[in-house]
Amino acid sequence: MSRRIIIISIACICFPMQAQIKTSGTIKEQMELVHKLHQINFIYDSSLNVDVPYQGKPLQGLNLGQSLQELFGTTDLKWEIRGNYILLNKKKKYTVSGYVYRQNGEPLINATVKDEALGIGTLSNNYGFFSITLPEGKRVLCFSFIGFGQKKENIMLDKNITLKVYLKEDCSLDEVVVTGDLNSSIHTTQTGKVSLTARELHTEYSLLSSPDVIKTLQNLPGVASGTELISGLYVHGGNHDENLFLLDGTPLYQVNHLGGLFSTFNTDIIKNIEFYKSGFPARYGGRLSSVIDVRTNDGDMKEYHGSFTLGLLDGRIQCEGPLIKNRTSFTIAMRRSWLDVFSAPIFFFRNKSKKEDQFTARYAFDDINAKITHTFSGRSKAYISFYSGNDILKVGNEQHFDEELYQAKFNLQWGNLTTAINWSYQFTPKLFANFTGVYAHNRSLYDYEEEDKFLNTGQVTERTNIERRNHSVIDDTGYRIEFDYKPGLRQHVRIGSNYLFHTFRPQSQAAKNISGNDGKNDTVRYSNSFHYRGHEFTAYAENDITLGEKWRTNIGIHYTLFKIPDKTSHSVEPRVAVRYQWNGHTAIKLSYTEMSQFMHLLSGTYLNLPTDYWVPSTKDIRPMRSRQYTAGVYMRLPHNMRLSLEGFYKTMNHTIEYDGGSRLTPLAGNWEMNVKQGKGKAYGAECELAYLTARTSVDIAYTLSWSKRKFNEIYQGWYADKFDNRHKLNIAVRHKFTGRIDAYAAWTFHSGNRMTIPSQYISAPEIPGIKEKEPAQWIYEKPNNVTLPSYHRMDVGVNFRKTIKRGYECIWNISIYNAYCRMNALYAKVEKLPEGKFRGKATGVFPIIPSFSYTIKF
């Protein structure tokens, strides 16, 4: 006979002797089994929930202590044996917090921290900090990171504990350990998130033997590259100005070198990249289509070391080490192109043989990244991060005629300068915060000078001189405040605020015209400039919540206030992501996000040129806004394979098109009159299949998508976007033959870009006695009405590694771009044939391009 005795909220349950033996069901049913086997009764507070599923092994054949350990060991209940009674109480909970580092003291981002018994865990944040709250008692925490050895910490949790954990890099480990990686797509809440480590960046193909961040992202599903070899990023139907680039929390506006052949990110100093194309967390905002959050290394706290690379077009050097061992570190990375070094002697000998026609050209770019990090204590840390990137293109021409001297000079310079000063502090075991002051400076300078002199016996009889100067500048100054709070196992709260004071100088022009001779000159000067000042304040809150064993959601809100002198705009953007854990190998996710953008890029061409410039939203030009729905299934398959399927639908409102003519520098005066406002939509499906072992990896990514625009002033209906690539397929294979040789091959295919051709050709009427006139005009009806030939190419590369006597590692890289020399269409034109027919002609520019580089790590 069973009976329940309530004594001050304590329940004593005596189970009947004839209870049936069960090996599954709930914990309460297993307690009945223990009562039957060991003749004991349980006493516990009636508020304790024991009617929950039991997932342990059968209890038959175990002694009492083993049975209790198996039954309650993975729960938050503790037990005490008193005679024939088992007293149950809720375990107290304590917090284990700390940092995860590499052996050299470099914090690891997204390291997995997991309680083996409970099967729950967390990830380290951007500063290597983690916090996990667990029931009291003996606990075993497992720390892991892909490419590093695992480390286990046995702790007796009877108070809050702080740990510093150092992981050892071990490239020989089978990377299939990813099953325990809490940053994998199966375990995270957000859709459309991709994390890239420095190691992964250096295993990708290297254009001209130089690894590149943007080129790597272009290979992902859902991302279009735009024009060949240009660092464009068109994510889920968006434009290239709709991507938020952050370098240590500081915004970057110009991310191209050499017309997009290289990006500004030096991979030698990059630690981690978080790329979002959907499911944006509330802590990000300001752009419609994607977020690229780049974090750089802090520097080795223990030893000095570095690397030097000499490539076909550029050279790189990187050094790091301790300023004060285990307290203060530095890291610096520099990169410079060699193109001007090679071209200088060519022009020297060319001009030596043609003194009457002198021509010079020089192009160079450089990047400098530097960072100093200081640890005040186990809870307090600060760093100063600096970046400078510059491009310079100078062209000069001097021609001598009988009595004339002609000179022309062209100068184009652009670049970024950013600084971030950060202090992070752990207030409590559950609360972490960081405070950052940021400054960003983006500039573009375009100068042109032309002079023509007519001479007579050495005297200038006539002179004309034209000078043009165009400058464009953006200055941002502001702060970022972020709080990271973990109140318990099932919640992760992030709140914060950002502020930027923008100073836009989209175009400052100066012109000077001189005419006359040696005796008298007439000079005409004029100048104008435009500037805007804006305040951008944002506040956000998000909470990542675990709901039971299967459900998890990330709910957030992002608020932005954008103010210029004659207009104040507000934007409230909800963000929701939901994950359902179907089983240990499959997850289903849904997300809905809204994003706003208060800045616009004016461009006279479809290329991303440094002469383009940014302007703010005004009272006449509204902020752009997007809404995106995403759903996905993510699976870990047998035989070291994983599969992901995602579908998205995205709308974009108040997008703009510049219509001021095909000019190198768009006109800033009355620019609002030269833009058209419209909307866009994009939708599609993405599939990615990956195979991964310690020696071989294969990635296959396919995208089926549509991208459309509607500008009523251009066309009344919907029409395809220029980069509406219907199909995209990427296949990449990497294989490590030995510890000294590894190779990479990738094949890329996508449907051709689109262009506009006339649909009608109207001739002037014939008039008796007058010869037929030339055609009056072309009639253009629907934009982007023709698709260029499909694009495809294969890239291959191989690394040869060797360790020399001093222990330095040397790496030879040989790469081939476009291995089978496919001449893909860069542009096209329509021409009329003599017989009156029309023909479209596409032109390819980039053939097979071999390259090499040599790297030594010291």
Side-chain angles (χ1 to χ4, degrees):
M1 175 180 179
S2 66
R3 53 197 174 91
R4 174 176 293 232
I5 303 173
I6 305 296
I7 306 175
I8 315 176
S9 297
I10 300 295
C12 175
I13 301 185
C14 300
F15 299 106
M17 296 295 295
Q18 64 272 21
Q20 297 294 318
I21 296 177
K22 295 184 179 179
T23 58
S24 61
T26 65
I27 288 181
K28 186 173 182 180
E29 291 172 337
Q30 296 303 310
M31 290 166 60
E32 296 179 10
L33 175 61
V34 173
H35 164 73
K36 168 65 177 176
L37 295 175
H38 301 285
Q39 309 298 310
I40 54 90
N41 296 306
F42 290 87
I43 299 178
Y44 59 94
D45 190 294
S46 60
S47 64
L48 296 183
N49 182 18
V50 294
D51 196 16
V52 294
Y54 171 68
Q55 298 177 344
K57 61 184 180 182
L59 303 181
Q60 293 92 335
L62 303 180
N63 61 37
L64 179 59
Q66 293 172 332
S67 298
L68 295 176
Q69 176 62 35
E70 186 65 33
L71 188 57
F72 302 114
T74 60
T75 70
D76 59 353
L77 300 177
K78 63 179 179 179
W79 71 91
E80 180 182 352
I81 302 176
R82 291 189 181 180
N84 291 330
Y85 295 96
I86 306 297
L87 276 66
L88 298 182
N89 288 291
K90 199 173 186 68
K91 292 178 181 177
K92 293 182 180 180
K93 292 184 178 181
Y94 298 99
T95 301
V96 183
S97 60
Y99 296 83
V100 185
Y101 301 98
R102 296 176 59 174
Q103 279 195 318
N104 64 3
E106 182 72 47
L108 287 174
I109 300 174
N110 294 326
T112 296
V113 183
K114 197 169 185 178
D115 184 295
E116 286 196 324
L118 297 178
I120 57 176
T122 187
L123 292 170
S124 59
N125 66 10
N126 287 335
Y127 305 88
F129 174 79
F130 72 91
S131 174
I132 184 170
T133 301
L134 299 167
E136 63 179 318
K138 292 183 179 180
R139 310 242 63 95
V140 179
L141 288 182
C142 181
F143 298 83
S144 62
F145 190 78
I146 294 178
F148 286 71
Q150 290 189 351
K151 186 172 184 180
K152 294 184 179 181
E153 292 280 348
N154 294 282
I155 58 176
M156 173 55 71
L157 194 58
D158 53 7
K159 61 180 179 180
N160 292 333
I161 294 177
T162 300
L163 296 176
K164 285 187 177 181
V165 180
Y166 294 85
L167 298 182
K168 182 180 180 181
E169 190 167 5
D170 188 350
C171 298
S172 65
L173 286 176
D174 189 336
E175 293 189 20
V176 179
V177 202
V178 73
T179 53
D181 179 18
L182 295 183
N183 194 43
S184 68
S185 57
I186 294 178
H187 298 292
T188 55
T189 312
Q190 266 77 23
T191 61
K193 176 189 175 185
V194 177
S195 297
L196 295 170
T197 64
R199 184 180 176 197
E200 291 166 325
L201 288 173
H202 283 88
T203 60
E204 293 293 329
Y205 168 76
S206 301
L207 175 65
L208 298 176
S209 296
S210 182
D212 190 87
V213 171
I214 305 298
K215 298 291 188 296
T216 299
L217 297 177
Q218 286 175 347
N219 290 330
L220 296 175
V223 181
S225 58
T227 306
E228 184 174 19
L229 287 187
I230 302 297
S231 291
L233 214 60
Y234 301 83
V235 182
H236 284 182
N239 290 325
H240 61 78
D241 62 330
E242 297 173 5
N243 308 299
L244 176 64
F245 290 95
L246 296 173
L247 182 63
D248 286 332
T250 308
L252 286 178
Y253 293 97
Q254 177 59 252
V255 295
N256 290 339
H257 287 309
L258 194 56
L261 197 62
F262 298 97
S263 69
T264 60
F265 301 104
N266 187 344
T267 55
D268 290 341
I269 201 171
I270 290 177
K271 175 165 55 179
N272 186 81
I273 296 175
E274 298 286 346
F275 174 64
Y276 292 90
K277 55 187 175 179
S278 64
F280 306 104
R283 57 189 179 273
Y284 295 112
R287 299 293 187 275
L288 295 191
S289 295
S290 77
V291 175
I292 302 95
D293 191 351
V294 180
R295 298 287 168 166
T296 60
N297 291 323
D298 288 357
D300 197 316
M301 287 281 186
K302 302 180 183 297
E303 297 177 341
Y304 297 96
H305 61 87
S307 65
F308 173 75
T309 300
L310 183 64
L312 185 64
L313 288 184
D314 72 333
R316 310 191 305 272
I317 185 169
Q318 184 265 336
C319 298
E320 61 181 303
L323 296 174
I324 303 174
K325 195 168 184 178
N326 296 322
R327 297 280 289 180
T328 307
S329 67
F330 79 94
T331 181
I332 183 169
M334 295 180 286
R335 177 173 63 161
R336 192 190 188 280
S337 63
W338 304 125
L339 198 59
D340 56 334
V341 178
F342 296 143
S343 63
I346 296 174
F347 289 117
F348 174 79
F349 289 109
R350 186 262 182 199
N351 293 333
K352 193 173 181 180
S353 62
K354 293 186 177 182
K355 293 186 178 181
E356 75 286 349
D357 185 10
Q358 301 284 296
F359 183 83
T360 59
R362 175 182 174 236
Y363 173 79
F365 73 80
D366 64 79
D367 291 307
I368 300 175
N369 293 81
K371 195 173 187 179
I372 296 177
T373 304
H374 178 72
T375 302
F376 296 101
S377 67
R379 300 169 62 184
S380 180
K381 193 174 186 178
Y383 71 73
I384 299 176
S385 175
F386 170 83
Y387 167 72
S388 173
N390 297 283
D391 288 72
I392 181 170
L393 172 63
K394 291 187 175 182
V395 179
N397 181 229
E398 182 176 306
Q399 295 180 343
H400 296 263
F401 303 98
D402 291 338
E403 295 182 351
E404 183 181 358
L405 174 62
Y406 174 80
Q407 294 175 308
K409 296 179 182 179
F410 173 84
N411 177 25
L412 177 62
Q413 299 181 35
W414 69 94
N416 294 288
L417 176 69
T418 70
T419 301
I421 302 175
N422 174 273
W423 175 56
S424 59
Y425 187 75
Q426 180 186 346
F427 285 96
T428 71
K430 298 181 179 182
L431 179 61
F432 179 89
N434 75 86
F435 309 88
T436 309
V438 300
Y439 171 73
H441 172 78
N442 173 263
R443 65 183 177 85
S444 174
L445 179 152
Y446 162 52
D447 293 344
Y448 176 74
E449 182 178 352
E450 184 181 49
E451 186 175 51
D452 200 359
K453 295 180 180 178
F454 292 90
L455 308 173
N456 185 7
T457 64
Q459 298 294 318
V460 178
T461 59
E462 185 179 348
R463 174 193 179 198
T464 60
N465 180 279
I466 299 173
E467 294 182 18
R468 299 289 185 268
R469 296 180 181 275
N470 290 273
H471 292 194
S472 175
V473 174
I474 302 177
D475 284 303
D476 285 350
T477 306
Y479 68 79
R480 301 176 69 90
I481 299 176
E482 301 167 302
F483 292 94
D484 192 320
Y485 179 57
K486 293 189 175 180
L489 283 173
R490 298 185 176 275
Q491 293 191 74
H492 186 178
V493 180
R494 294 181 178 94
I495 58 174
S497 170
N498 306 324
Y499 169 76
L500 286 174
F501 175 65
H502 302 286
T503 303
F504 301 88
R505 298 181 183 90
Q507 197 171 69
S508 298
Q509 293 181 319
K512 182 169 67 173
N513 296 332
I514 302 175
S515 61
N517 52 42
D518 279 348
K520 183 179 180 181
N521 289 318
D522 291 328
T523 303
V524 178
R525 304 173 187 266
Y526 69 88
S527 63
N528 58 54
S529 63
F530 305 91
H531 70 275
Y532 305 86
R533 290 183 173 87
H535 303 268
E536 186 173 3
F537 170 82
T538 66
Y540 67 86
E542 64 176 272
N543 193 359
D544 200 277
I545 308 170
T546 301
L547 305 170
E549 300 296 324
K550 299 285 188 179
W551 293 91
R552 183 173 168 182
T553 182
N554 185 291
I555 302 175
I557 195 79
H558 184 99
Y559 167 75
T560 302
L561 180 148
F562 189 85
K563 179 177 175 58
I564 59 174
D566 56 352
K567 177 68 175 177
T568 300
S569 301
H570 303 270
S571 175
V572 178
E573 304 156 20
R575 317 280 176 81
V576 180
V578 179
R579 186 205 71 192
Y580 175 73
Q581 197 74 42
W582 185 275
N583 54 42
H585 305 285
T586 305
I588 301 172
K589 299 182 188 179
L590 301 170
S591 71
Y592 171 75
T593 57
E594 294 187 17
M595 300 282 275
S596 295
Q597 181 168 331
F598 297 85
M599 304 169 64
H600 312 271
L601 184 66
L602 299 186
S603 177
T605 69
Y606 60 85
L607 302 175
N608 188 8
L609 297 176
T611 52
D612 303 338
Y613 53 78
W614 293 84
V615 291
S617 296
T618 66
K619 62 180 180 180
D620 297 317
I621 305 299
R622 298 178 62 180
M624 296 185 288
R625 192 174 184 91
S626 70
R627 293 175 173 85
Q628 186 168 194
Y629 308 82
T630 310
V633 179
Y634 312 83
M635 292 178 281
R636 188 167 57 243
L637 305 175
H639 309 297
N640 304 326
M641 300 176 70
R642 59 180 174 83
L643 174 69
S644 66
L645 300 169
E646 278 191 358
F648 69 92
Y649 182 85
K650 176 182 175 183
T651 62
M652 297 158 281
N653 291 309
H654 313 302
T655 60
I656 68 167
E657 286 279 356
Y658 179 75
D659 191 27
S662 298
R663 299 171 53 93
L664 183 63
T665 55
L667 293 174
N670 297 320
W671 65 268
E672 296 156 296
M673 305 295 293
N674 292 322
V675 298
K676 294 178 171 57
Q677 298 188 66
K679 57 186 178 179
K681 63 182 177 181
Y683 48 91
E686 305 162 8
C687 175
E688 187 172 12
L689 178 66
Y691 169 79
L692 180 65
T693 67
R695 296 172 65 89
T696 305
S697 68
V698 180
D699 289 282
I700 303 173
Y702 171 72
T703 304
L704 173 67
S705 63
W706 289 260
S707 178
K708 299 180 181 296
R709 296 290 185 270
K710 185 177 182 181
F711 288 80
N712 289 331
E713 294 181 62
I714 298 176
Y715 182 72
Q716 289 299 311
W718 289 94
Y719 59 90
D721 183 49
K722 179 175 181 60
F723 301 114
D724 176 31
N725 307 129
R726 184 74 64 249
H727 304 280
K728 179 187 176 185
L729 177 65
N730 284 85
I731 303 174
V733 180
R734 305 168 192 83
H735 183 70
K736 183 183 293 185
F737 295 97
T738 67
R740 298 175 55 184
I741 302 175
D742 56 89
Y744 169 89
W747 186 70
T748 300
F749 169 90
H750 66 71
S751 303
N753 296 333
R754 305 182 73 89
M755 64 174 289
T756 304
I757 66 169
S759 56
Q760 296 184 45
Y761 176 76
I762 300 178
S763 301
E766 294 186 13
I767 301 176
I770 299 178
K771 185 179 179 180
E772 182 180 349
K773 297 182 180 180
E774 290 297 318
Q777 61 180 338
W778 299 90
I779 301 298
Y780 296 85
E781 293 184 354
K782 189 173 184 178
N784 301 326
N785 54 355
V786 169
T787 303
L788 295 177
S790 296
Y791 178 100
H792 57 86
R793 73 170 198 272
M794 176 174 283
D795 306 327
V796 295
V798 61
N799 290 315
F800 300 94
R801 306 173 187 271
K802 183 179 180 181
T803 302
I804 59 179
K805 292 182 179 180
R806 294 186 178 183
Y808 300 160
E809 182 184 16
C810 301
I811 305 172
W812 279 97
N813 173 271
I814 300 174
S815 298
I816 301 176
Y817 175 87
N818 195 7
Y820 53 81
C821 200
R822 159 78 174 182
M823 297 300 290
N824 291 294
L826 182 67
Y827 63 91
K829 62 180 180 179
V830 178
E831 53 188 26
K832 181 184 177 184
L833 300 177
E835 60 270 23
K837 296 182 180 180
F838 299 92
R839 179 180 65 183
K841 185 178 180 181
T843 302
V845 175
F846 301 106
I848 181 173
I849 304 177
S851 62
F852 69 89
S853 69
Y854 174 75
T855 300
I856 181 169
K857 296 183 177 181
F858 52 86

